[in-house]
Every structure is written in structure tokens, then in C-alpha cells.
Amino acid sequence: MTEPILVFDDVHLSFAGVKAVNGVSFEVGERELFAIIGPNGAGKTSIFNVLSGVYRPQRGRVVFDGVDLVGKPPHRIAALGMARTFQNIELFSNLTVLDNLMLGRHHHIRYGAPSAFAWFGRARHEEIANRAVVENIVDFLELEQWRSFPVGLLPYGVQKRVELGRALAMEPKLLLLDEPVAGMNLEETEDMARFVLDIRDELDIPMILVEHDMGLVMDLADRVMAMDFGTPIVTGTPGQVQADEGVIRAYLGQEHATEVTS
Amino acid sequence: MTEQRSTSVSTKASRQLWGRPELYTSYGQNLRMLNTRPKQVAVVAMVLLAATYVPFGLPDEWLHLFAMGLAAAIGAIGLNIVTGYAGQVSLGHAFFLAIGAYTASALSGEPGRRTIGFGITFLPLWLLAAGVVAGVAGVIVAPLATRLRGLYLAIVTLGLVFLGLHIFKEWKALTGGPGVGRQGPVPEMFGQRLDRNGDLLTGDQKMYLLTLVLLVIFAVFARNLVRSKVGRAFAAVRDRDIAADVIGVSVTRYKVLAFGISSFYAGCAGALLYAVLGRVEPDSFNLLLSIQFVAMVLIGGAGTISGSIMGALFITMLPRLTQELPTVLPFISSDVTAPLGAANLAIIFYGLMIILFLIFEPRGLFGIWIRIRNYFKAWPFSY
Ligand SMILES: Nc1ncnc2c1ncn2[C@@H]1O[C@H](COP(=O)(O)OP(=O)(O)OP(=O)(O)O)[C@@H](O)[C@H]1O
Ligand SMILES: [Mg+2]
């Protein structure tokens, strides 16, 4: 493995007694597709929130592309090249697909308010250039027919794709995908898997994938970290993780728990 | 831009995705402000009408009212930027109008009189100063918006109005004190008093044309702003501020910017409005004034520039229209103090209109316009 793009080192995050992330360490390589699995409440989304700066960990180090992220506000971290999608879609639902994607270009567009007022010249030039980038993403994710629709009116599966597009528009150095196929039907899931593979193979963007769909994780991931109650159980190749007893116990345990409650 | 990207993305495959902007000049067409022929025709026709028929075909009394409405429209656009586009509810607009009005009045006032005056009557100068001083005040107040949201922000900005009323009441050297007031900004350009009758045009005609030209300029700038990166960032902050932050939009920065720009517009509008009116009274910058601006935005349509203009004209004309009511409806008293008098009626009307629009047409007058347009687009096959 070459120099890692991300080092997550002994991170602790708790909320009023709940230890959401409890001493988690891992590294993600330059071209790696790293997956995180674990039962509900294991702390997967919390790791993403630490990475993107939404939560500040009480302890630990997060080094992204050589820069320590702890304490940096989310928009700074985004500008460093970290992009993510959300478990529950967080799009700007009144805006069109194009505007949502253009918002992904925000920090690539350099002009400020004075040029914006004048429009002609710099603002117009940059808008056109960035619009072209966005149109390429529209092509890539096959969103042509939706591009001028307000996002809130689109089907769920398409919204998930738009959110991926917004993250891609940021030209990230690391892409975080929080349950990209949750709630999707088989066809939509296959489409999404294809896009994820294309992103890795054609765009060379390393990714962290959080997903409950085991088939997808085992097919796509280079390495997998399984965790429970905020603590990693095992990190390894998909095969190693699948065979791990701790992992089996964590999932069986959870199935017992859900049987009891439902 | 192009160079920068091709160096930042290394592989050939990536370059395919990020593309070659120089091939896509046609997006320019799509990004135009008036991107369809009907829009261009409609706007040009409207501006021509406003610049020719109105000033020379209508009586001066109406022109005076129109000039007020056009000046108010600049303020309404300002409020729409912070509230309609950036989603920060402000009831403090009257405070920023006041700052603009007093900055301009003091700058252009005659020196050595009862109230402060510096004798700088050159209109562009005091107008710009009014905007800048109010804008700076807006930037100072803005951090409130980064800590408070929704109703809490509305209440705190409301506090600004009362703070302002108190200061303006006490600071007699600037404002002349309640019940007395002072002369408004003196509109002069190249040795011409714009508010006085001249050889060619009456004062009302000149002030009308002045406010019209300025409104067009301010509206075009605002329209440019909201279709730009800044406008998108405002919308992102309004709709989901966590997501905005995570994709790289600094929420604090854009809230401050929205308040600053909005207050700049308010300051210019305040200066112009009171230049049209001729006198400034400290009591006039009260809650009702703020509410009138909120009504302009809501009735015109939150998040539209043309709606702000329609709303401002409508609200400014309303008292004049209700004044006509007693002649038509005998049970309405023209006595100002009567409970069902014309003055109170206007206030009741604002309230009713706000409620009705919120319930039936949240897009405001702009929404009604869209409906009419869609109806005629489908004509004669309506439904
Ligand atoms: N803002 C918060 N305040 C309090 N507790 C929180 C907060 N966010 C997460 N938690 C808690 O932290 C723990 C981990 O939550 P997290 O959302 O990271 O789980 P997850 O692995 O993403 O689960 P899922 O698979 O259901 O998405 C849970 O117990 C959750 O209740
Ligand atoms: Mg989660």
C-alpha cells in the first residue's frame, strides 16, 4: 500500500454517556475502497460525522492527505477534498438537479460577491466552465432527463444518485458513502454498484463505504472493517471478515435482539 | 480555470469526466438573465412604459406615490435577499432604512442648522454612503443570525427596531426629535435640484425617473447576485445548513454577506424614500414599517426579485387606494382616528393580505403571474 490518504487514529466520540466511537483506528489507501459494516447504532455514521467535521471527537487524530482535521469546520474539510453522501438524503430539495450539482462546485468557483453583482466577465466565465463539468457528471450518472427538475420531486433512487453527483462535483480526494443503496430496489442497487465501480476504476477516487447490503460490500470492497458498539471487531479482506467469529456473533446477537423487540 | 483543473486531475480517464469547458459555450445562452424571447419582450415593454407613459401621462400626485413605491422596492429587494433567498427572517429592516435615511440626511443637510449637516448634496455620494453605513451595521448585527434561527432571530431583530426608535428619539442633533423631525436627504446632481420643478420637468417627474433608473440598476445587480454562486450558497444555507457546510459553503460567511447586502439595499432605499418624502420623522421607523416590508416580500413572492417590486408598489399604493374607499363605501370613515377609518383599514389589509397569501399563494403576486402566464401559454386549450 502506498501512502494512506486517511489515517484515523484512536478516535473517541461520546454523547452524554453513549460511546458512539470508542477507540477506532484505521487507514485508507490512495486507491482503496474501504468498507465499514456493523449493526445499527454501531457508530458508522458517527465516524463519517467526525471525518466531515460535523462532530468533534474528544480524543484521537484524524489526518487527511497530511492535514490534521480535528477542530476544523466542515466547510474547510470539504475544501480539502472530502466529500460525502448522507444516510438520509440531504439535498437542497427546492433547487434543481443542476443547481445542486453546481453547489458541489462551490469551492472550485473562485469569484466573489463583487464579480457576482457584475456577472459579465469573471462570474459568467466561471459559471459556464463549471456548468460544463457538472454536465459531464450528469452524463456520467445518467441524470440527463432530470437535470432541470427540483430535486424534491424526484424518485428516491434518483435523489440518491443526485447526492452522489453533488459529492463527485466536488472533485474529492476521498468520497464517503453512507448507505448508498439503502431502500433501493434490485435494479437501482445494481446501477449504484456500477457507478461506485466506475468511480473507483475511471476516476481513481478512494472511497469509504458504509452499507448494510453484505453482498454489495463483499463484491466491491478491497478491505472491510466490522464494528459493534463503537469498537472495531476486525479489519481485513472481505473473506477474512466474513469468516470472523466476532462478526458472526455481533450480527447474530443483533438478530436475536431484533427478534425479541419485534 | 481550465489549466488549474487539468493539473489537479492526473489521469486520462478523469479528464474525460471533468471535461473541456471550452467546448460548451452554449450554456451561456442558458445562463442568461432573460433567457427566452417572451421574457425579454415583456421586460423591455414594461420598462419602456414606465419610462415614457407613466411620467408624462399621469398626474404628479401619482408620480410622487410611484416614486415612493420604486424606492421602497429597492428596500424590498434587500429584505428578500436576506429573508427570501438566505432564509434569515428579519423584522429589523426599518432600523437599516433609518440608518440610510439619517446618514444621507446628515451628509446632504445644510451646515450650521439646528440638525447636523455637512452640505454634501451630490446624490451618488450620499446614496452610496447611506448604503455603506447601513451595510456595515448589517454586518455587525449578522453574527446574531449565526446563533439564532427562525422565530428567535425575528424577535431579536425586532429588538433592533425598538433600540433604533429610542436612539433616534434621544439624538435630537441628528434627527430633530420626535414630532419635529428634520429635512430629508437633498437630491442634487450637477447643480440641479431633482425635487424641485425645473424648466423641462416637474420635481415629481424628476424624482420618479430617478427612482426608476436606480431601481432598474439595483434590480439587475440583485438578479445577477441570486443567479450566481452567491445566490446558490444563500439557498443552500436557507434549505439545509448542515449539508451546506459539509459541501463547502461557509454558513457564517454567507449569513453575514446576506445581512450586509440586504442592509446596504435598505440603507439606499431609506435615503431615497425620504428624499422623495422630503422630511424624516424619527417615529416613522417603527415596527409597522418593518412589517410593511415583510408584507411586500410575502405578497410579492419570497425569493423573487420581480415579486419584490410588485409587492412594494402594491403596499405603497394601498393606503392611497383605501383612502378612496370612503367615497365608494359610505360606512367607512375618512376620519383618521375612527376604528374603521381609512388609515386603520390599510393596516388591517396588510394583515389580511399576508395571511391570505400565505395560505392560498405562498409564491405571492409572482405566483399569480406564473399562473396567468401558464394559462395563456395553454390558451385556447385551458385545462
Ligand atoms: N447527535 C447524537 N446525539 C446523541 N447520540 C447520538 C448522536 N448521533 C449518534 N448517536 C448515538 O451514537 C450511536 C452510534 O450512532 P450512529 O448513527 O453512528 O450508528 P450507525 O452505525 O450509523 O447506525 P445505522 O446503521 O443505524 O445508521 C448510537 O447509539 C446513536 O444513538
Ligand atoms: Mg448510520
Side-chain angles (χ1 to χ4, degrees):
Chain A
M1 205 162 77
T2 50
E3 182 89 344
I5 183 82
L6 179 76
V7 179
F8 204 76
D9 183 17
D10 192 30
V11 172
H12 293 253
L13 170 77
S14 49
F15 302 99
V18 181
K19 291 194 166 153
V21 181
N22 193 11
V24 173
S25 303
F26 62 88
E27 290 184 358
V28 179
E30 274 284 340
R31 326 191 102 166
E32 201 174 19
L33 205 169
F34 187 81
I36 303 177
I37 61 169
N40 292 107
K44 307 178 296 290
T45 300
S46 299
I47 289 178
F48 276 14
N49 282 332
V50 168
L51 283 172
S52 52
V54 177
Y55 296 145
R56 187 189 175 132
Q58 281 87 12
R59 235 178 80 191
R61 234 165 36 102
V62 182
V63 181
F64 172 55
D65 200 21
V67 183
D68 194 346
L69 297 186
V70 176
K72 285 208 164 37
H75 62 93
R76 279 277 148 68
I77 294 175
L80 290 172
M82 177 100 66
R84 73 179 279 191
T85 66
F86 293 83
Q87 186 169 352
N88 305 303
I89 300 169
E90 296 273 352
L91 286 166
F92 308 107
S93 48
N94 295 320
L95 304 186
T96 61
V97 171
L98 283 176
D99 278 342
N100 271 277
L101 298 189
M102 283 299 277
L103 268 162
R105 302 291 305 159
H106 185 80
H107 64 259
H108 292 275
I109 304 178
R110 299 274 155 179
Y111 70 84
S115 311
F117 276 120
W119 184 257
F120 283 100
R122 192 151 173 220
R124 183 169 171 277
H125 181 79
E126 284 195 39
E127 286 290 317
I128 292 176
N130 284 279
R131 171 69 182 274
V133 177
V134 160
E135 289 288 347
N136 283 324
I137 291 167
V138 166
D139 282 352
F140 181 76
L141 295 177
E142 294 156 23
L143 288 166
E144 293 87 350
Q145 64 187 118
W146 313 107
R147 60 153 85 74
S148 323
F149 280 85
V151 165
L153 302 178
L154 302 181
Y156 175 81
V158 178
Q159 292 195 20
K160 280 268 192 198
R161 234 191 294 161
V162 175
E163 212 190 20
L164 175 63
R166 186 180 67 185
L168 278 182
M170 294 166 71
E171 284 181 49
K173 290 186 201 143
L174 178 64
L175 181 58
L176 315 177
L177 303 174
D178 199 347
E179 306 200 10
V181 303
M184 283 189 169
N185 63 31
L186 189 64
E187 196 192 332
E188 290 170 326
T189 303
E190 281 172 357
D191 282 343
M192 188 56 89
R194 184 161 52 83
F195 293 133
V196 170
L197 281 176
D198 286 350
I199 291 168
R200 185 183 62 179
D201 297 340
E202 287 180 30
L203 306 178
D204 281 325
I205 300 173
M207 275 174 275
I208 305 181
L209 172 70
V210 163
E211 190 43 73
H212 282 296
D213 185 325
M214 278 314 135
L216 189 80
V217 170
M218 297 306 158
D219 282 351
L220 297 183
D222 298 315
R223 281 190 311 144
V224 181
M225 176 174 78
M227 58 186 294
D228 198 9
F229 300 113
T231 319
I233 306 169
V234 62
T235 306
T237 63
Q240 287 168 340
V241 170
Q242 235 168 349
D244 189 88
E245 278 200 8
V247 176
I248 295 167
R249 215 175 306 123
Y251 276 88
L252 284 179
Q254 197 218 6
E255 260 158 38
H256 283 303
T258 43
E259 267 169 30
V260 173
T261 49
S262 56
Chain B
M1 272 308 292
T2 327
E3 266 80 36
Q4 196 185 326
R5 188 171 20 261
S6 32
T7 52
S8 75
V9 176
S10 45
T11 71
K12 210 161 86 192
S14 313
R15 200 165 297 137
Q16 262 165 20
L17 175 57
W18 309 129
R20 298 172 50 198
E22 59 274 16
L23 293 181
Y24 294 86
T25 47
S26 62
Y27 300 134
Q29 157 82 27
N30 192 279
L31 293 174
R32 263 186 216 151
M33 186 184 306
L34 304 169
N35 50 7
T36 61
R37 178 67 46 176
K39 269 190 216 169
Q40 289 166 0
V41 171
V43 169
V44 168
M46 215 112 83
V47 171
L48 276 182
L49 188 75
T52 55
Y53 169 71
V54 176
F56 303 106
L58 291 184
D60 276 7
E61 188 208 351
W62 279 97
L63 290 183
H64 182 70
L65 212 55
F66 266 113
M68 282 168 60
L70 296 174
I74 294 174
I77 291 173
L79 185 62
N80 218 334
I81 286 174
V82 77
T83 300
Y85 287 95
Q88 309 302 305
V89 178
S90 167
L91 286 176
H93 217 53
F95 177 67
F96 300 111
L97 288 160
I99 292 180
Y102 283 123
T103 303
S105 303
L107 272 182
S108 66
E110 218 175 297
R113 297 284 289 271
R114 192 175 49 87
T115 48
I116 306 170
F118 295 95
I120 303 170
T121 51
F122 186 54
L123 185 144
L125 211 65
W126 60 246
L127 187 64
L128 197 67
V132 169
V133 174
V136 169
V139 168
I140 292 171
V141 168
L144 285 175
T146 62
R147 291 170 191 277
L148 303 166
R149 46 184 72 218
L151 208 54
Y152 297 101
L153 181 61
I155 291 167
V156 171
T157 51
L158 174 65
L160 281 180
V161 174
F162 291 106
L163 180 76
L165 279 176
H166 181 73
I167 295 173
F168 302 137
K169 200 173 81 188
E170 296 299 321
W171 193 356
K172 294 199 174 69
L174 176 71
T175 68
V180 189
R182 67 170 292 157
Q183 197 189 13
V186 179
E188 195 181 81
M189 246 187 343
F190 314 117
Q192 270 254 357
R193 274 294 289 258
L194 299 176
D195 55 344
R196 302 224 174 114
N197 293 346
D199 301 334
L200 280 174
L201 300 166
T202 67
D204 286 322
Q205 283 174 323
K206 283 189 276 187
M207 289 307 280
Y208 168 83
L209 288 169
L210 170 75
T211 49
L212 179 67
V213 169
L214 288 173
L215 173 62
V216 169
I217 294 171
F218 277 87
V220 168
F221 278 145
R223 196 72 188 75
N224 283 344
L225 184 79
V226 300
R227 65 177 161 153
S228 75
K229 168 197 185 187
V230 180
R232 281 193 303 267
F234 285 165
V237 168
R238 175 192 65 201
D239 289 352
R240 278 176 196 268
D241 49 8
I242 296 283
D245 218 344
V246 167
I247 60 164
V249 175
S250 163
V251 173
T252 309
R253 182 183 165 154
Y254 281 94
K255 280 183 180 174
V256 171
L257 193 61
F259 264 96
I261 293 171
S262 158
S263 308
F264 179 91
Y265 271 65
C268 293
L272 273 178
L273 191 57
Y274 287 90
V276 173
L277 286 169
R279 272 205 89 67
V280 205
E281 274 250 26
D283 311 320
S284 50
F285 301 101
N286 53 18
L287 177 60
L288 180 62
L289 187 64
S290 277
I291 290 186
Q292 284 177 327
F293 275 87
V294 172
M296 291 172 195
V297 168
L298 289 180
I299 290 173
T304 70
I305 301 296
S306 47
S308 316
I309 300 172
M310 290 190 260
L313 288 174
F314 181 79
I315 293 290
T316 319
M317 299 292 164
L318 195 60
R320 184 68 186 72
L321 297 177
T322 51
Q323 257 175 40
E324 300 284 344
L325 281 181
T327 56
V328 194
L329 304 168
F331 60 90
I332 290 169
S333 166
S334 56
D335 179 358
V336 190
T337 53
L340 251 187
N344 283 334
L345 216 61
I347 298 174
I348 295 171
F349 235 86
Y350 298 143
L352 263 182
M353 296 294 286
I354 293 179
I355 293 167
L356 288 178
F357 268 104
L358 282 182
I359 295 173
F360 294 110
E361 184 46 283
R363 289 179 303 172
L365 291 173
F366 180 79
I368 292 178
W369 156 246
I370 297 282
R371 283 192 205 191
I372 295 172
R373 198 189 65 189
N374 288 345
Y375 177 84
F376 281 105
K377 258 190 191 163
W379 192 85
F381 308 105
S382 51
Y383 305 107

